[in-house]
Amino acid sequence: MEKVTLRVRLLRLFENSAIAGPLITLIAIYVLSWLFVPNFATWRTLSGIITAVSISGIVTIGITILMISGEFDLSLAPMIAMSGYLFGSVSVGADNLIVNTLSSWGLPATVGQGNIPFAIFLGLGVPALMGLVNGLILIWTNIPSFIVTLGTRQIYRGLVWIVAGAELLQVLDEPFVYQVLNGKMEGLNDYIRTNLIGPEVRDRVNFRYATLWLIGLVTIYQTLLVRTKFGNHLFAIGGNEGAARTQGVRSARARVTGFVISGMLAGFAGMVQFSQFKSVRVAEQTGIELTAIAGAVVGGALLNGGYGSVWGALVGVLLISVLRSSVILLKIPFVPADNFPAIVGVTIIASVIFNNWLRNRSTS
Amino acid sequence: MAEAVLEKVNDPFADNPLVVDMQSITKRFGTVEALRGVDFQVRKGEVRALMGDNGAGKSTLIKVLTGVHTPTTGQIVFDGENVQINSPADARALGIETCYQDLALIPLMSIWRNFFLGRELTTDIGPIKWLRRKEMAVQCRESLKDIGIHIRSAEEKVGKMSGGERQSIAIGRAIHFGAKLLILDEPTSALSVKETGKVLDYIRAARDRGLPVIFITHNVNHIYEVSDSYTIIRQGKSVGTYLKGELTQQDIADLITGAREK
């Protein structure tokens, strides 16, 4: 047996794990920000970053699954909005087009009366259906998913516009399900406030339940990818579809399932988001797909498929979010809060170069 | 005619049962007749090379056998039974394993994941098919060892291996899954001389297990090294089937190009 030195072991770790490179980058940037960015080392910033990542993180899980199988979905933002409108309206029984139409169809939605189970069913089911349509168009026409979803993105936005009656939805009630999906973790926040911050320091902390949902979903989907036959087939299809097919992998079915899953996750993100803000607009989260793709790529996923991990993608979105906060707090001239994407762009390219460099080093 | 040749010489496999018996196969793509009544037979235990120039129809013939194309007319008897092969899955179910030149393995996946792809060992928990990863890694390593293929670790990614190593893993996989017939599509075309030697060894190992092999190639030297007999296809027709040693390399080359009729 060859002697396995620490260096070799570390290199093997990089080689076998998509996450090692991005994790190093995240830690480095986090430590640098902690040391050099004013006001970064506060609970307020930390909990803000984590809460922001919770919603985009859920969407990123779906995008990562699709990217591993070699596909994209650019129509996730309208799914988030659709879910927000349906879930929001039905959960409180808002007097709007959605609830009135559903009850006129004899479905269990009544004005002034929330129906939580039906709201959840619609919030997950309709985006899943939208994902299914994307997947079916893809396999029936063989048009690349990038193009298919570029089209459905506009169509779905139009559908949301119709369903929403072109109006912003805002609710005042707060059914318990909102608490469960994305309420404040008061116990934890209080504990941190009294024991870790102290009364004399001006700092706030705001952890929310969405973070727990995110951790749970990341764990479930990472396990699904690595430990199940379905996950194995997704990697195979993304890696070399022809080879996968000759080995009896049912490519069309697996890819369509990927679209349904990512639609459902977008729907869940829409419900979580609505639970926090209690409002939704037609253009909700426009462009989140690109942030999610950036997160997945920074986290080690390959744009042409066959490689990546949900953990890595989560690290990727965290990295982008940490950077965003640092850049805003640094108050650099020409890079105010509104211009932080410029910095994020640089980082995306830099971290992909770094990832590739690490991977090449460890494979040679 | 073609088959007459096989019968009149001393064929060591003549008494073995037929594994493949393709009878007057034709295949038409629109107005193009790719196969014009080909008869093709392989007996148990023999390594048969299938030769022909580009576009001669050898790939089409194999694709008919592996379910990629359905024949326009003609019938296939496999292992004594009249069969309809409508898809690659049908062919696999019959025990026909094919190693395609460039469609064999997935570079970004580990050896064991490639080895068991589409035939994963799983524990089913409701709809979830949980991979038995350790078991597959061990089985993969062991069964490759049985054929004489030594790998460092089944966790290694296929992309890091040489062309010859990949080809041998694809062949090892086919042998492991109890193929009744192994088809190799240009297995040596992209390999170095040394690696080619190894691949030819694995083909011999397959034959030693009694597994019939059909092996598509351009390379006359490889046929001389490893095959028992060869069939030459030209312009959608079988020119003939010959035993090893019956013809010189020049004869074979002439028959492939049609410079000379038999």
Side-chain angles (χ1 to χ4, degrees):
Chain A
M1 288 298 286
E2 55 180 318
K3 198 167 160 241
V4 181
T5 61
L6 182 67
R7 188 168 161 274
V8 169
R9 246 187 241 174
L10 276 176
L11 285 175
R12 288 232 175 107
L13 182 70
F14 288 123
E15 171 198 347
N16 292 326
S17 149
I19 194 180
L23 195 58
I24 290 181
T25 318
L26 173 65
I27 292 170
I29 291 184
Y30 193 82
V31 169
L32 285 176
S33 304
W34 185 272
L35 294 176
F36 299 115
V37 177
N39 295 323
F40 186 86
T42 59
W43 285 101
R44 183 185 173 184
T45 306
L46 179 66
S47 59
I49 290 171
I50 288 177
T51 301
V53 160
S54 298
I55 291 167
S56 55
I58 293 169
V59 179
T60 307
I61 297 172
I63 279 281
T64 309
I65 290 172
L66 287 177
M67 282 177 69
I68 285 172
S69 69
E71 306 295 344
F72 291 99
D73 192 338
L74 300 177
S75 68
L76 294 176
M79 295 184 195
I80 294 173
M82 180 67 96
S83 158
Y85 275 105
L86 294 173
F87 172 76
S89 306
V90 177
S91 63
V92 298
D95 184 9
N96 64 9
L97 184 68
I98 295 169
V99 173
N100 288 323
T101 310
L102 287 172
S103 70
S104 76
W105 289 348
L107 290 163
T110 324
V111 172
Q113 239 180 334
N115 185 335
I116 305 298
F118 190 50
I120 294 173
F121 172 77
L122 290 174
L124 295 176
V126 174
L129 201 67
M130 292 156 93
L132 177 71
V133 171
N134 282 342
L136 292 177
I137 295 176
L138 172 80
I139 60 162
W140 283 336
T141 63
N142 262 325
I143 300 170
S145 57
F146 194 87
I147 306 297
V148 169
T149 59
L150 202 57
T152 54
R153 165 195 184 89
Q154 312 296 343
I155 299 169
Y156 291 166
R157 183 69 72 205
L159 279 181
V160 175
W161 194 85
I162 295 168
V163 168
E167 281 176 352
L168 175 91
L169 173 69
Q170 249 180 322
V171 303
L172 298 173
D173 307 353
E174 186 147 349
F176 183 62
V177 66
Y178 293 6
Q179 272 298 313
V180 175
L181 286 173
N182 203 7
K184 294 179 179 173
M185 292 200 267
E186 288 301 2
L188 179 68
N189 293 339
D190 280 345
Y191 177 85
I192 292 170
R193 249 191 303 272
T194 49
N195 296 300
L196 300 175
I197 298 176
E200 67 280 4
V201 182
R202 277 182 57 213
D203 194 358
R204 284 184 299 168
V205 58
N206 185 12
F207 285 107
R208 285 175 172 272
Y209 284 108
T211 309
L212 297 185
W213 286 105
L214 175 69
I215 294 170
L217 288 169
V218 164
T219 311
I220 288 171
Y221 281 103
Q222 177 65 27
T223 310
L224 183 87
L225 279 175
V226 179
R227 301 286 179 106
T228 70
K229 187 171 171 173
F230 172 66
N232 205 39
H233 288 184
L234 289 179
F235 278 102
I237 293 163
N240 184 340
E241 203 205 340
R245 289 237 292 255
T246 61
Q247 293 307 309
V249 171
R250 292 158 83 173
S251 156
R253 202 174 69 162
R255 285 188 297 165
V256 171
T257 310
F259 276 94
V260 171
I261 289 176
S262 101
M264 202 142 72
L265 284 165
F268 190 74
M271 286 159 52
V272 167
Q273 157 135 334
F274 191 85
S275 299
Q276 182 174 341
F277 299 104
K278 295 198 284 176
S279 75
V280 58
R281 57 200 180 95
V282 175
E284 197 69 58
Q285 293 285 10
T286 302
I288 195 175
E289 302 90 351
L290 294 178
T291 311
I293 291 173
V297 170
V298 168
L302 291 180
L303 269 176
N304 35 9
Y307 194 72
S309 76
V310 176
W311 295 125
L314 178 63
V315 171
V317 265
L318 263 172
L319 183 66
I320 292 173
S321 187
V322 166
L323 265 175
R324 171 183 317 190
S325 302
S326 303
V327 169
I328 292 170
L329 290 170
L330 271 174
K331 299 200 176 82
I332 309 167
F334 310 114
V335 192
D338 294 340
N339 201 11
F340 78 88
I343 302 284
V344 175
V346 173
T347 326
I348 290 170
I349 294 174
S351 66
V352 170
I353 292 172
F354 178 63
N355 284 348
N356 288 347
W357 177 76
L358 260 184
R359 202 176 309 139
N360 287 338
R361 251 186 88 89
S362 57
T363 45
S364 58
Chain B
M1 283 309 292
E3 278 67 36
V5 180
L6 194 68
E7 277 153 32
K8 76 180 178 199
V9 293
N10 186 15
D11 180 358
F13 300 97
D15 296 334
N16 288 6
L18 281 172
V19 176
V20 178
D21 186 5
M22 299 174 83
Q23 298 162 2
S24 13
I25 302 291
T26 63
K27 176 67 191 175
R28 210 172 286 122
F29 297 104
T31 56
V32 180
E33 230 179 354
L35 296 175
R36 300 185 291 165
V38 176
D39 293 317
F40 183 66
Q41 293 157 332
V42 177
R43 290 180 187 277
K44 200 163 172 19
E46 71 173 320
V47 175
R48 167 72 58 85
L50 187 58
M51 307 198 68
D53 217 341
N54 290 338
K58 58 187 193 305
S59 285
T60 311
L61 183 66
I62 288 309
K63 282 177 177 162
V64 166
L65 185 56
T66 56
V68 177
H69 297 320
T70 41
T72 310
T73 61
Q75 61 173 351
I76 305 172
V77 178
F78 185 77
D79 222 12
E81 300 209 12
N82 228 322
V83 291
Q84 288 281 342
I85 307 174
N86 294 320
S87 71
D90 287 354
R92 273 163 65 112
L94 289 169
I96 301 173
E97 284 288 332
T98 316
C99 299
Y100 296 96
Q101 190 178 357
D102 49 350
L103 283 181
L105 303 172
I106 293 152
L108 288 164
M109 294 176 86
S110 68
I111 299 173
W112 73 261
R113 281 183 189 264
N114 268 290
F115 198 86
F116 282 95
L117 183 60
R119 281 179 284 217
E120 294 88 347
L121 307 177
T122 57
T123 307
D124 295 2
I125 313 162
I128 294 165
K129 295 187 165 51
W130 195 259
L131 298 175
R132 307 210 299 261
R133 304 195 298 170
K134 289 248 164 60
E135 199 179 329
M136 285 191 272
V138 170
Q139 264 197 35
C140 164
R141 219 182 126 88
E142 293 293 308
S143 78
L144 287 174
K145 206 164 99 188
D146 282 351
I147 315 161
I149 303 164
H150 295 275
I151 53 170
R152 279 157 296 224
S153 154
E155 294 289 343
E156 202 165 324
K157 295 227 181 349
V158 165
K160 288 176 63 185
M161 318 189 77
S162 72
E165 287 173 310
R166 290 186 210 191
Q167 200 57 260
S168 54
I169 284 168
I171 296 171
R173 171 172 72 183
I175 296 174
H176 173 81
F177 285 101
K180 287 184 183 160
L181 172 68
L182 179 59
I183 299 171
L184 304 171
D185 184 7
E186 303 273 4
T188 53
S189 65
L191 303 185
S192 70
V193 175
K194 195 177 156 200
E195 286 181 329
T196 300
K198 275 192 173 169
V199 168
L200 296 182
D201 281 344
Y202 301 135
I203 295 174
R204 287 189 197 99
R207 178 181 47 195
D208 293 345
R209 292 174 164 231
L211 181 63
V213 179
I214 300 172
F215 152 39
I216 304 173
T217 185
H218 276 103
N219 192 318
V220 182
N221 292 323
H222 297 167
I223 295 184
Y224 262 78
E225 283 192 51
V226 78
S227 61
D228 302 304
S229 54
Y230 37 91
T231 297
I232 297 171
I233 305 266
R234 193 177 66 235
Q235 292 174 349
K237 287 192 127 164
S238 167
V239 176
T241 297
Y242 310 91
L243 286 171
K244 186 174 174 174
E246 245 183 345
L247 300 174
T248 64
Q249 294 197 4
Q250 187 57 48
D251 292 335
I252 296 173
D254 288 348
L255 287 173
I256 289 173
T257 56
R260 171 160 52 113
E261 287 294 332
K262 187 183 72 68

